[in-house]
Amino acid sequence: MSVCPAKRLYSWMLLVPLLLLAGVFTFLASHANTPQLLTVAPDTALVDAQRGLRVSLTWRVASAGGARSSHGEFVDLDRNRVLQKVERPLAFGADMARLNEEVRLAPGQLRAWYGEGVRRLGYRRSFAGPAGSLSNFLLIDLPASGRLVALDAQPARQTLSGDSREMMVRWQLHGDIGGVRAESESGYFMVGDRVVYATGEPLFSDGGDTATERVPVPRWLVEDLLDGGIERIRYQRTFIDSRNGRRSAAVIVDLAR
């Protein structure tokens, strides 16, 4: 018995969606144990004022059916603003992969972005594939990268009398990138190499150019020094940056009754 062509066509029209649906279920079942995941190592980097940024990245990607990233991009993370694209595609066809790339930036470009107010710089990639999209980034913390190359105390010379209760000092920190992250454990009043009084107060510069403090001055300090014939001392601090670099500066303090 022959089958009507119209019935045969109708049967195929019913069968095709079922076959497509079965294929989808098969795909999902075969990839059910492949979670989406994107990591980058290292995930943070410091820069060098002389060499700039030079870092080897490893992207570890898990995405069913593979994925592709058309480009990387440097972004201002605080403003979510793209600063520069890197036209370098990365792709894989398996469910998981490790993809390597070398990322570089010139010192002049880093200083320019810092001058524009960029503090948290990121190198970001987005991967897209059959299972969806993923994104992650390398954090380049510019203030933390800077070395403390110079330190000034302002005003550089002050006068204290027996009636003085405090002294204002503004420490100017100069980093090789721009700002610098540094700390000082304590300030010291000194006569020559001898410490005559310590404040014991820590002071921090978290990426800024200055750190300001009010220095308490005990009444007895000025009087005792003057009674001992000492009319000039120093108030000194040492700051240590995030790379263990050290810089010291001092205020010359004239004593008066």
Side-chain angles (χ1 to χ4, degrees), residues 229-257:
I230 298 171
E231 297 182 346
R232 182 174 297 164
I233 60 176
R234 300 190 324 275
Y235 178 67
Q236 179 173 308
R237 273 190 181 271
T238 298
F239 281 81
I240 304 173
D241 64 29
S242 57
R243 298 192 178 195
N244 209 34
R246 296 168 179 259
R247 289 290 185 274
S248 299
V251 178
I252 302 300
V253 182
D254 296 311
L255 305 179
R257 292 192 184 274

Side-chain angles (χ1 to χ4, degrees), residues 107-179:
Q109 182 63 79
L110 290 163
R111 292 192 186 95
W113 284 340
Y114 190 94
E116 295 172 7
V118 178
R119 296 297 179 267
R120 294 176 65 248
L121 177 66
Y123 179 71
R124 183 171 64 193
R125 274 195 179 271
S126 296
F127 286 81
S133 299
L134 295 165
S135 182
N136 208 338
F137 63 88
L138 164 75
L139 172 64
I140 306 156
D141 197 338
L142 295 184
S145 295
R147 289 186 174 92
L148 181 60
V149 297
L151 177 68
D152 300 319
Q154 301 173 354
R157 189 162 192 159
Q158 300 189 37
T159 299
L160 291 179
S161 70
D163 294 328
S164 300
R165 292 293 176 265
E166 64 180 20
M167 180 176 67
M168 292 288 296
V169 182
R170 185 174 68 253
W171 302 95
Q172 187 77 36
L173 296 93
H174 305 276
D176 56 6
I177 295 297

Side-chain angles (χ1 to χ4, degrees), residues 199-210:
T199 64
E201 293 294 328
L203 196 59
F204 302 91
S205 172
D206 194 13
D209 298 328
T210 61

Side-chain angles (χ1 to χ4, degrees), residues 83-104:
L83 302 169
Q84 178 180 311
K85 286 188 176 182
V86 178
E87 301 293 344
R88 185 188 303 127
L90 296 177
F92 67 102
D95 292 344
M96 292 179 287
R98 293 178 56 178
L99 306 172
N100 300 316
E101 71 170 319
E102 189 85 10
V103 177
R104 297 190 177 192

